[in-house]
Each structure stands twice: as C-alpha cells, then as structure tokens.
Amino acid sequence: MATTETPDPIHVVVLHSEQPLTTDPAEAHPGCRVTVLTDGAPTAVSEEVEPPDVVSMPRSEWADQLARWARGGRVDVVTGDRSCREVCAELRSGLGLAPNPTASADL
C-alpha cells in the first residue's frame, strides 16, 4: 500500500558567532527547516539578509540544544563562520554526521 505522507523536513542548524551571513540560509537549504544558532546577539547574525529563526545561547549549550532538536527528527549542522568550523565538526560528529558538511561553503 502506498502512502502519501511526506517525511518531516530536515532541521538545518546554521552555527554563527562572528561572520554575518551573506546568503539566505533558507535559499541554500530549500525545503528544510532552518535555524541560526548563535553565541552572539541575534541582531549581529546578518546585515544583508533576513535570517530565519535565530536562537542565541552560550556555545557551551549548543550540544544540548542540538540533542533536543535531534529527538524531534533529522538535524544537520552547517556553518560558514570560520570561528565555528571546529565546533561544527565536533557537533556533527556527536550527531553521527560526517565532520565536514559540503554545504558550509554555501553560507
């Protein structure tokens, strides 16, 4: 029997700290739920594009937040911010993802 149900969209989490976003992450990840996770002020995430949902919290809490989101479905973690590359690889590994996402350069 065929089903018409569509799978839940992937939740793409874009890590941010210092470098403002230069492209709309929702356009880089069509059909996905996109959230920017920053350890800075939400207003510093972007100067040129309107980011989707922005969650601001200390970097030390990112792993716990990602684990909560992962309980609700598939999560992917990417970054275009040089200062977040190492933590991105660590967080991806903790979620069982390859350490270097190919999409990081798209932000």
Side-chain angles (χ1 to χ4, degrees):
M1 180 158 97
T3 179
T4 58
E5 289 184 38
T6 56
D8 289 335
I10 296 171
H11 186 177
V12 176
V13 180
V14 180
L15 303 181
H16 169 268
S17 187
E18 298 172 5
Q19 291 179 253
L21 298 177
T22 57
T23 61
D24 182 349
E27 287 181 15
H29 303 280
C32 296
R33 174 181 168 207
V34 179
T35 303
V36 177
L37 185 57
T38 184
D39 61 358
T43 56
V45 169
S46 173
E47 296 173 355
E48 299 175 20
V49 298
E50 184 67 32
D53 295 330
V54 176
V55 175
S56 181
M57 66 177 51
R59 193 178 287 210
S60 61
E61 297 177 14
W62 286 3
D64 291 338
Q65 181 60 51
L66 287 168
R68 284 190 291 275
W69 282 331
R71 286 192 290 272
R74 284 184 56 199
V75 173
D76 194 8
V77 183
V78 299
T79 191
D81 191 324
R82 286 183 211 101
S83 68
C84 293
R85 287 184 184 158
E86 187 174 319
V87 71
C88 183
E90 292 170 6
L91 293 169
R92 289 181 60 80
S93 177
L95 292 170
L97 303 170
N100 296 314
T102 57
S104 64
D106 296 339
L107 303 172

